[in-house]
Amino acid sequence: MSILVTGGVGYIGSHTVVELLNRDEDIIIVDNLVNSKPEAINRIKKITGKDFKFYEVDILDEKKLENVFKENNIESVIHFAGLKAVGESVEKPLEYYQNNVAGTLTLLKIMIKYNCKKIVFSSSATVYGDPGTPKYIEELGRGKTTNPYGTTKSMIEQILEDLYISDNSWNIAILRYFNPVGAHESGLIGEEPQGIPNNLMPFIMKVANKELDHLNVFGNDYEGTKDGTGARDYLHVVDLAIGHIKALEKLDKEKNGVFVYNLGTGTAYTVLEIVEAFKKVNNVDVPYKIAPRRNGDLAIYYADPTKAEKELGWVAKRGIEEMCRDSWNFVISNMRG
């Protein structure tokens, strides 16, 4: 029996595949390579010394995706595939709804046809919207999302819940994660955003390697943060990957249900704390300028990861220095070829 990983060549997907292979799981990857690079496939094999099946397939292509199920005995799915840039989603909402929501519907339809009813879904803290409290607990539920990307995640969560109501033989884990950073300690896989980065750490690295001359820090007058800059819950991508393994283990033990978990550290770091940690750990300068606040940015938010610890036995173990060190190690390893 195999585990299908959609979007398994991407940033979080590739790290999760490594953890699965390290546990001797039988893996099949489906990825259209829009947000990823094919060399990551060989790098995963190099890290793990294991082989796996790879299909260059878009989850919107029902015929090709069904062929994957026809050719393999798939028991469960970890679903990462989707467009993921918040800013781009505002500019291209229809692409996001088509790719993320319609793609998931296609996947679920085929899963039903092949009686595969176990799925771990890659969701996001963006589904909370602005709940009016910096500490996000699962019981807050989904709020009014602030961008189409977040709305697609919220809609898919609703679809999965409705699916379970219609057929309670499904076993579903929804993982709402916060801000993944870092890279595999080997330096072989990490975050390689296509085009202009959307997140803080890739911007820091582009300044550190002199692709950009400075980092824009959007706002330094937020109340409730240590230095006035926005504060977020950052977690190491390897910890996040392990969270998916723990969720799958949970589903293997349960007969059925819908289980929702935050994956985060429970600590909010400000932009300047991240910058200073990066400079200290890597001994590299990161010039920055204070810029006006961006519309929609919250002052501070972080996960309450208590439920994941209690029910999954999952705790984020890697701190901010490891996140910064491993991020830079991936960049310099790739600069050296």
Side-chain angles (χ1 to χ4, degrees):
M1 302 292 276
S2 301
I3 301 166
L4 176 67
V5 185
T6 72
V9 187
Y11 176 42
I12 302 168
S14 61
H15 287 82
T16 302
V17 166
V18 165
E19 297 303 320
L20 288 165
L21 291 170
N22 284 341
R23 287 162 173 75
D24 294 321
E25 299 286 1
D26 185 28
I27 301 303
I28 298 159
I29 294 179
V30 161
D31 200 305
N32 65 3
L33 303 180
V34 166
N35 280 325
S36 51
K37 295 184 177 179
E39 52 260 40
I41 297 166
N42 289 327
R43 292 179 178 191
I44 292 168
K45 293 176 181 177
K46 186 174 181 181
I47 291 167
T48 62
K50 308 275 176 63
D51 201 3
F52 51 86
K53 287 186 181 179
F54 168 72
Y55 294 83
E56 187 174 347
V57 169
D58 192 309
I59 59 169
L60 284 163
D61 190 328
E62 187 169 344
K63 188 175 179 181
K64 286 184 179 177
L65 187 58
E66 182 170 352
N67 282 337
V68 177
F69 279 80
K70 272 183 186 172
E71 293 173 11
N72 300 280
N73 189 6
I74 296 169
E75 181 183 34
S76 53
V77 175
I78 302 180
H79 180 33
F80 293 105
L83 299 175
K84 60 177 186 175
V86 168
E88 183 184 62
S89 77
V90 176
E91 297 168 10
K92 302 176 180 177
L94 295 186
E95 286 186 28
Y96 273 69
Y97 291 119
Q98 174 73 11
N99 191 88
N100 295 7
V101 180
T104 301
L105 290 172
T106 301
L107 172 66
L108 293 171
K109 196 163 114 180
I110 296 168
M111 288 177 70
I112 291 168
K113 186 171 181 178
Y114 288 84
N115 198 35
C116 174
K117 296 183 178 180
K118 191 185 298 180
I119 185 169
V120 177
F121 173 57
S122 161
S123 191
S124 164
T126 56
V127 302
Y128 289 110
D130 180 4
T133 175
K135 187 177 184 178
Y136 291 6
I137 59 173
E138 292 86 351
E139 287 73 20
L140 287 168
R142 293 185 297 274
K144 181 172 173 51
T145 51
T146 57
N147 55 74
Y149 164 75
T151 306
T152 66
K153 294 295 187 182
S154 183
M155 290 172 80
I156 294 166
E157 285 195 15
Q158 184 67 58
I159 288 164
L160 290 168
E161 289 170 6
D162 290 343
L163 186 59
Y164 177 73
I165 290 169
S166 73
D167 176 2
N168 60 19
S169 65
W170 277 84
N171 220 351
I172 299 164
I174 294 169
L175 303 182
R176 296 173 179 165
Y177 35 86
F178 285 65
N179 295 271
V181 294
H184 193 267
E185 62 183 1
S186 65
L188 288 171
I189 56 172
E191 188 171 15
E192 291 188 89
Q194 309 296 304
I196 299 170
N198 293 280
N199 303 317
L200 175 62
M201 190 63 80
F203 262 116
I204 289 175
M205 292 191 292
K206 283 184 180 294
V207 175
N209 71 8
K210 300 187 168 33
E211 283 184 57
L212 299 172
D213 60 11
H214 71 276
L215 171 74
N216 283 321
V217 177
F218 297 104
N220 65 345
D221 57 352
Y222 285 106
E223 292 183 11
T225 75
K226 291 178 183 177
D227 51 35
T229 62
R232 302 287 181 264
D233 189 334
Y234 297 91
L235 75 158
H236 198 291
V237 66
V238 174
D239 283 328
L240 179 56
I242 292 167
H244 291 78
I245 312 299
K246 295 286 189 181
L248 203 55
E249 289 173 355
K250 166 82 171 176
L251 297 187
D252 287 340
K253 293 174 190 170
E254 300 289 340
K255 287 184 179 177
N256 48 52
V258 180
F259 308 94
V260 181
Y261 300 102
N262 285 337
L263 295 185
T265 64
T267 301
Y269 296 98
T270 69
V271 174
L272 292 185
E273 283 181 304
I274 299 286
V275 169
E276 291 306 316
F278 190 93
K279 288 162 63 174
K280 174 188 169 188
V281 170
N282 299 310
N283 194 29
V284 62
D285 193 27
V286 182
Y288 65 86
K289 293 180 182 177
I290 303 299
R293 290 189 191 188
R294 295 179 298 191
N295 288 334
D297 276 358
L298 302 176
I300 179 172
Y301 66 84
Y302 54 93
D304 181 343
T306 306
K307 187 179 176 186
E309 181 177 2
K310 184 178 177 182
E311 295 188 14
L312 303 180
W314 177 87
V315 177
K317 295 180 179 178
R318 294 157 181 83
I320 195 64
E321 292 195 352
E322 286 166 286
M323 298 178 207
C324 292
R325 182 197 65 217
D326 291 343
S327 294
W328 185 235
N329 181 47
F330 173 68
V331 171
I332 58 176
S333 296
N334 278 274
M335 286 166 70
R336 292 176 186 142

